[in-house]
PDB file of all heavy atoms in Angstrom:
ATOM      1  N   GLY A  19     -36.039   7.628  -6.459  1.00 45.00           N
ATOM      2  CA  GLY A  19     -35.050   6.592  -6.789  1.00 45.00           C
ATOM      3  C   GLY A  19     -33.974   7.141  -7.672  1.00 45.00           C
ATOM      4  O   GLY A  19     -32.789   6.795  -7.553  1.00 45.00           O
ATOM      5  N   GLN A  20     -34.337   8.069  -8.593  1.00 48.00           N
ATOM      6  CA  GLN A  20     -33.316   8.609  -9.501  1.00 48.00           C
ATOM      7  C   GLN A  20     -32.385   9.605  -8.809  1.00 48.00           C
ATOM      8  O   GLN A  20     -31.253   9.727  -9.180  1.00 48.00           O
ATOM      9  CB  GLN A  20     -34.030   9.322 -10.686  1.00 48.00           C
ATOM     10  CG  GLN A  20     -34.815   8.402 -11.584  1.00 48.00           C
ATOM     11  CD  GLN A  20     -33.908   7.350 -12.235  1.00 48.00           C
ATOM     12  OE1 GLN A  20     -32.965   7.639 -12.932  1.00 48.00           O
ATOM     13  NE2 GLN A  20     -34.210   6.076 -11.978  1.00 48.00           N
ATOM     14  N   ASN A  21     -32.930  10.269  -7.765  1.00 63.00           N
ATOM     15  CA  ASN A  21     -32.142  11.274  -7.044  1.00 63.00           C
ATOM     16  C   ASN A  21     -31.312  10.679  -5.885  1.00 63.00           C
ATOM     17  O   ASN A  21     -30.458  11.306  -5.355  1.00 63.00           O
ATOM     18  CB  ASN A  21     -33.045  12.396  -6.566  1.00 63.00           C
ATOM     19  CG  ASN A  21     -33.595  13.214  -7.736  1.00 63.00           C
ATOM     20  OD1 ASN A  21     -32.904  13.391  -8.701  1.00 63.00           O
ATOM     21  ND2 ASN A  21     -34.806  13.678  -7.558  1.00 63.00           N
ATOM     22  N   LYS A  22     -31.650   9.466  -5.486  1.00 90.00           N
ATOM     23  CA  LYS A  22     -30.968   8.821  -4.373  1.00 90.00           C
ATOM     24  C   LYS A  22     -29.519   8.556  -4.746  1.00 90.00           C
ATOM     25  O   LYS A  22     -29.203   8.158  -5.854  1.00 90.00           O
ATOM     26  CB  LYS A  22     -31.649   7.540  -4.017  1.00 90.00           C
ATOM     27  CG  LYS A  22     -31.162   6.881  -2.768  1.00 90.00           C
ATOM     28  CD  LYS A  22     -31.945   5.618  -2.437  1.00 90.00           C
ATOM     29  CE  LYS A  22     -31.368   4.922  -1.229  1.00 90.00           C
ATOM     30  NZ  LYS A  22     -32.115   3.666  -0.977  1.00 90.00           N
ATOM     31  N   LYS A  23     -28.614   8.821  -3.827  1.00 97.00           N
ATOM     32  CA  LYS A  23     -27.201   8.551  -4.082  1.00 97.00           C
ATOM     33  C   LYS A  23     -26.958   7.106  -4.411  1.00 97.00           C
ATOM     34  O   LYS A  23     -27.510   6.206  -3.754  1.00 97.00           O
ATOM     35  CB  LYS A  23     -26.351   8.920  -2.852  1.00 97.00           C
ATOM     36  CG  LYS A  23     -26.242  10.427  -2.624  1.00 97.00           C
ATOM     37  CD  LYS A  23     -25.288  10.717  -1.477  1.00 97.00           C
ATOM     38  CE  LYS A  23     -25.096  12.207  -1.278  1.00 97.00           C
ATOM     39  NZ  LYS A  23     -24.141  12.530  -0.216  1.00 97.00           N
ATOM     40  N   PRO A  24     -26.248   6.844  -5.472  1.00 98.00           N
ATOM     41  CA  PRO A  24     -26.065   5.410  -5.846  1.00 98.00           C
ATOM     42  C   PRO A  24     -25.061   4.710  -4.911  1.00 98.00           C
ATOM     43  O   PRO A  24     -24.186   5.281  -4.330  1.00 98.00           O
ATOM     44  CB  PRO A  24     -25.395   5.559  -7.252  1.00 98.00           C
ATOM     45  CG  PRO A  24     -24.691   6.861  -7.196  1.00 98.00           C
ATOM     46  CD  PRO A  24     -25.527   7.766  -6.334  1.00 98.00           C
ATOM     47  N   ASN A  25     -25.286   3.407  -4.785  1.00 98.00           N
ATOM     48  CA  ASN A  25     -24.258   2.561  -4.151  1.00 98.00           C
ATOM     49  C   ASN A  25     -23.095   2.458  -5.091  1.00 98.00           C
ATOM     50  O   ASN A  25     -23.240   2.601  -6.348  1.00 98.00           O
ATOM     51  CB  ASN A  25     -24.801   1.176  -3.889  1.00 98.00           C
ATOM     52  CG  ASN A  25     -25.979   1.177  -2.914  1.00 98.00           C
ATOM     53  OD1 ASN A  25     -26.015   1.960  -1.941  1.00 98.00           O
ATOM     54  ND2 ASN A  25     -27.017   0.404  -3.262  1.00 98.00           N
ATOM     55  N   ILE A  26     -21.916   2.168  -4.571  1.00 98.00           N
ATOM     56  CA  ILE A  26     -20.694   2.061  -5.405  1.00 98.00           C
ATOM     57  C   ILE A  26     -19.968   0.797  -5.007  1.00 98.00           C
ATOM     58  O   ILE A  26     -19.715   0.587  -3.832  1.00 98.00           O
ATOM     59  CB  ILE A  26     -19.780   3.286  -5.222  1.00 98.00           C
ATOM     60  CG1 ILE A  26     -20.495   4.569  -5.654  1.00 98.00           C
ATOM     61  CG2 ILE A  26     -18.488   3.071  -6.005  1.00 98.00           C
ATOM     62  CD1 ILE A  26     -19.757   5.838  -5.265  1.00 98.00           C
ATOM     63  N   TYR A 120     -21.770   7.845   3.176  1.00 98.00           N
ATOM     64  CA  TYR A 120     -21.663   6.473   2.681  1.00 98.00           C
ATOM     65  C   TYR A 120     -21.184   5.537   3.787  1.00 98.00           C
ATOM     66  O   TYR A 120     -20.229   5.882   4.529  1.00 98.00           O
ATOM     67  CB  TYR A 120     -20.708   6.368   1.493  1.00 98.00           C
ATOM     68  CG  TYR A 120     -21.329   6.712   0.198  1.00 98.00           C
ATOM     69  CD1 TYR A 120     -21.724   8.007  -0.116  1.00 98.00           C
ATOM     70  CD2 TYR A 120     -21.563   5.725  -0.760  1.00 98.00           C
ATOM     71  CE1 TYR A 120     -22.306   8.350  -1.317  1.00 98.00           C
ATOM     72  CE2 TYR A 120     -22.192   6.030  -1.949  1.00 98.00           C
ATOM     73  CZ  TYR A 120     -22.557   7.312  -2.233  1.00 98.00           C
ATOM     74  OH  TYR A 120     -23.166   7.620  -3.465  1.00 98.00           O
ATOM     75  N   GLY A 203     -28.557   1.494   1.583  1.00 95.00           N
ATOM     76  CA  GLY A 203     -27.524   2.392   1.125  1.00 95.00           C
ATOM     77  C   GLY A 203     -27.635   3.828   1.670  1.00 95.00           C
ATOM     78  O   GLY A 203     -28.391   4.032   2.580  1.00 95.00           O
ATOM     79  N   PRO A 204     -26.811   4.733   1.155  1.00 98.00           N
ATOM     80  CA  PRO A 204     -25.769   4.416   0.127  1.00 98.00           C
ATOM     81  C   PRO A 204     -24.538   3.805   0.787  1.00 98.00           C
ATOM     82  O   PRO A 204     -24.223   4.120   1.916  1.00 98.00           O
ATOM     83  CB  PRO A 204     -25.497   5.796  -0.465  1.00 98.00           C
ATOM     84  CG  PRO A 204     -25.669   6.738   0.671  1.00 98.00           C
ATOM     85  CD  PRO A 204     -26.812   6.173   1.473  1.00 98.00           C
ATOM     86  N   TYR A 205     -23.840   2.972   0.025  1.00 98.00           N
ATOM     87  CA  TYR A 205     -22.608   2.382   0.576  1.00 98.00           C
ATOM     88  C   TYR A 205     -21.539   2.366  -0.537  1.00 98.00           C
ATOM     89  O   TYR A 205     -21.854   2.383  -1.748  1.00 98.00           O
ATOM     90  CB  TYR A 205     -22.832   0.994   1.130  1.00 98.00           C
ATOM     91  CG  TYR A 205     -23.395  -0.049   0.164  1.00 98.00           C
ATOM     92  CD1 TYR A 205     -22.612  -0.618  -0.872  1.00 98.00           C
ATOM     93  CD2 TYR A 205     -24.719  -0.448   0.277  1.00 98.00           C
ATOM     94  CE1 TYR A 205     -23.101  -1.524  -1.706  1.00 98.00           C
ATOM     95  CE2 TYR A 205     -25.214  -1.406  -0.618  1.00 98.00           C
ATOM     96  CZ  TYR A 205     -24.429  -1.930  -1.604  1.00 98.00           C
ATOM     97  OH  TYR A 205     -24.949  -2.882  -2.466  1.00 98.00           O
ATOM     98  N   PHE A 206     -20.301   2.295  -0.109  1.00 98.00           N
ATOM     99  CA  PHE A 206     -19.148   2.075  -0.939  1.00 98.00           C
ATOM    100  C   PHE A 206     -18.509   0.763  -0.500  1.00 98.00           C
ATOM    101  O   PHE A 206     -18.036   0.624   0.612  1.00 98.00           O
ATOM    102  CB  PHE A 206     -18.160   3.211  -0.864  1.00 98.00           C
ATOM    103  CG  PHE A 206     -16.848   2.857  -1.510  1.00 98.00           C
ATOM    104  CD1 PHE A 206     -16.786   2.363  -2.801  1.00 98.00           C
ATOM    105  CD2 PHE A 206     -15.605   3.066  -0.847  1.00 98.00           C
ATOM    106  CE1 PHE A 206     -15.561   2.082  -3.414  1.00 98.00           C
ATOM    107  CE2 PHE A 206     -14.403   2.769  -1.443  1.00 98.00           C
ATOM    108  CZ  PHE A 206     -14.347   2.295  -2.753  1.00 98.00           C
ATOM    109  N   GLU A 286     -30.046  -1.313 -10.467  1.00 97.00           N
ATOM    110  CA  GLU A 286     -30.250  -0.183 -11.394  1.00 97.00           C
ATOM    111  C   GLU A 286     -29.421   1.062 -10.951  1.00 97.00           C
ATOM    112  O   GLU A 286     -28.815   1.728 -11.784  1.00 97.00           O
ATOM    113  CB  GLU A 286     -31.734   0.155 -11.499  1.00 97.00           C
ATOM    114  CG  GLU A 286     -32.024   1.196 -12.553  1.00 97.00           C
ATOM    115  CD  GLU A 286     -32.028   0.647 -13.970  1.00 97.00           C
ATOM    116  OE1 GLU A 286     -31.908  -0.572 -14.140  1.00 97.00           O
ATOM    117  OE2 GLU A 286     -32.132   1.465 -14.899  1.00 97.00           O
ATOM    118  N   ASN A 287     -29.418   1.319  -9.674  1.00 97.00           N
ATOM    119  CA  ASN A 287     -28.751   2.526  -9.167  1.00 97.00           C
ATOM    120  C   ASN A 287     -27.491   2.186  -8.357  1.00 97.00           C
ATOM    121  O   ASN A 287     -27.151   2.814  -7.349  1.00 97.00           O
ATOM    122  CB  ASN A 287     -29.702   3.378  -8.319  1.00 97.00           C
ATOM    123  CG  ASN A 287     -29.166   4.796  -8.174  1.00 97.00           C
ATOM    124  OD1 ASN A 287     -28.586   5.337  -9.074  1.00 97.00           O
ATOM    125  ND2 ASN A 287     -29.489   5.448  -7.031  1.00 97.00           N
ATOM    126  N   THR A 288     -26.766   1.171  -8.783  1.00 98.00           N
ATOM    127  CA  THR A 288     -25.469   0.846  -8.193  1.00 98.00           C
ATOM    128  C   THR A 288     -24.375   0.881  -9.301  1.00 98.00           C
ATOM    129  O   THR A 288     -24.484   0.271 -10.354  1.00 98.00           O
ATOM    130  CB  THR A 288     -25.503  -0.563  -7.590  1.00 98.00           C
ATOM    131  OG1 THR A 288     -26.457  -0.597  -6.542  1.00 98.00           O
ATOM    132  CG2 THR A 288     -24.113  -0.911  -7.017  1.00 98.00           C
ATOM    133  N   VAL A 289     -23.321   1.649  -9.023  1.00 98.00           N
ATOM    134  CA  VAL A 289     -22.181   1.703  -9.906  1.00 98.00           C
ATOM    135  C   VAL A 289     -21.275   0.489  -9.564  1.00 98.00           C
ATOM    136  O   VAL A 289     -20.847   0.366  -8.424  1.00 98.00           O
ATOM    137  CB  VAL A 289     -21.366   3.027  -9.684  1.00 98.00           C
ATOM    138  CG1 VAL A 289     -20.183   3.078 -10.640  1.00 98.00           C
ATOM    139  CG2 VAL A 289     -22.278   4.219  -9.898  1.00 98.00           C
ATOM    140  N   TRP A 335     -23.755   0.985 -14.642  1.00 98.00           N
ATOM    141  CA  TRP A 335     -24.660   1.820 -13.822  1.00 98.00           C
ATOM    142  C   TRP A 335     -25.921   1.950 -14.652  1.00 98.00           C
ATOM    143  O   TRP A 335     -26.068   2.915 -15.386  1.00 98.00           O
ATOM    144  CB  TRP A 335     -24.012   3.145 -13.526  1.00 98.00           C
ATOM    145  CG  TRP A 335     -24.751   4.055 -12.600  1.00 98.00           C
ATOM    146  CD1 TRP A 335     -25.799   3.767 -11.788  1.00 98.00           C
ATOM    147  CD2 TRP A 335     -24.472   5.466 -12.370  1.00 98.00           C
ATOM    148  NE1 TRP A 335     -26.188   4.871 -11.052  1.00 98.00           N
ATOM    149  CE2 TRP A 335     -25.401   5.890 -11.419  1.00 98.00           C
ATOM    150  CE3 TRP A 335     -23.532   6.350 -12.909  1.00 98.00           C
ATOM    151  CZ2 TRP A 335     -25.436   7.236 -11.011  1.00 98.00           C
ATOM    152  CZ3 TRP A 335     -23.551   7.634 -12.492  1.00 98.00           C
ATOM    153  CH2 TRP A 335     -24.481   8.114 -11.530  1.00 98.00           C
ATOM    154  N   PHE A 338     -27.762   5.045 -15.820  1.00 97.00           N
ATOM    155  CA  PHE A 338     -27.138   6.177 -16.606  1.00 97.00           C
ATOM    156  C   PHE A 338     -26.185   5.705 -17.711  1.00 97.00           C
ATOM    157  O   PHE A 338     -25.865   6.521 -18.589  1.00 97.00           O
ATOM    158  CB  PHE A 338     -26.356   7.076 -15.616  1.00 97.00           C
ATOM    159  CG  PHE A 338     -27.242   7.880 -14.709  1.00 97.00           C
ATOM    160  CD1 PHE A 338     -27.398   7.430 -13.405  1.00 97.00           C
ATOM    161  CD2 PHE A 338     -27.891   9.005 -15.143  1.00 97.00           C
ATOM    162  CE1 PHE A 338     -28.242   8.132 -12.537  1.00 97.00           C
ATOM    163  CE2 PHE A 338     -28.687   9.696 -14.252  1.00 97.00           C
ATOM    164  CZ  PHE A 338     -28.871   9.298 -12.983  1.00 97.00           C
ATOM    165  N   ILE A 361     -19.875  11.388  -8.703  1.00 98.00           N
ATOM    166  CA  ILE A 361     -21.070  10.611  -8.765  1.00 98.00           C
ATOM    167  C   ILE A 361     -21.807  10.680  -7.395  1.00 98.00           C
ATOM    168  O   ILE A 361     -23.030  10.798  -7.348  1.00 98.00           O
ATOM    169  CB  ILE A 361     -20.762   9.153  -9.101  1.00 98.00           C
ATOM    170  CG1 ILE A 361     -20.407   8.996 -10.603  1.00 98.00           C
ATOM    171  CG2 ILE A 361     -21.920   8.192  -8.755  1.00 98.00           C
ATOM    172  CD1 ILE A 361     -19.861   7.640 -10.998  1.00 98.00           C
ATOM    173  N   ALA A 362     -21.051  10.628  -6.296  1.00 98.00           N
ATOM    174  CA  ALA A 362     -21.563  10.609  -4.967  1.00 98.00           C
ATOM    175  C   ALA A 362     -21.978  11.996  -4.477  1.00 98.00           C
ATOM    176  O   ALA A 362     -22.623  12.146  -3.403  1.00 98.00           O
ATOM    177  CB  ALA A 362     -20.619   9.990  -3.994  1.00 98.00           C
ATOM    178  N   GLY A 363     -21.616  13.059  -5.199  1.00 98.00           N
ATOM    179  CA  GLY A 363     -21.849  14.386  -4.747  1.00 98.00           C
ATOM    180  C   GLY A 363     -21.045  14.726  -3.517  1.00 98.00           C
ATOM    181  O   GLY A 363     -21.448  15.558  -2.684  1.00 98.00           O
TER     182      GLY A 363
END
Side-chain angles (χ1 to χ4, degrees):
Q20 294 300 301
N21 292 325
K22 186 178 180 183
K23 288 185 177 183
N25 300 318
I26 298 168
Y120 276 71
Y205 59 75
F206 168 50
E286 186 76 8
N287 198 33
T288 298
V289 180
W335 186 13
F338 292 99
I361 287 172

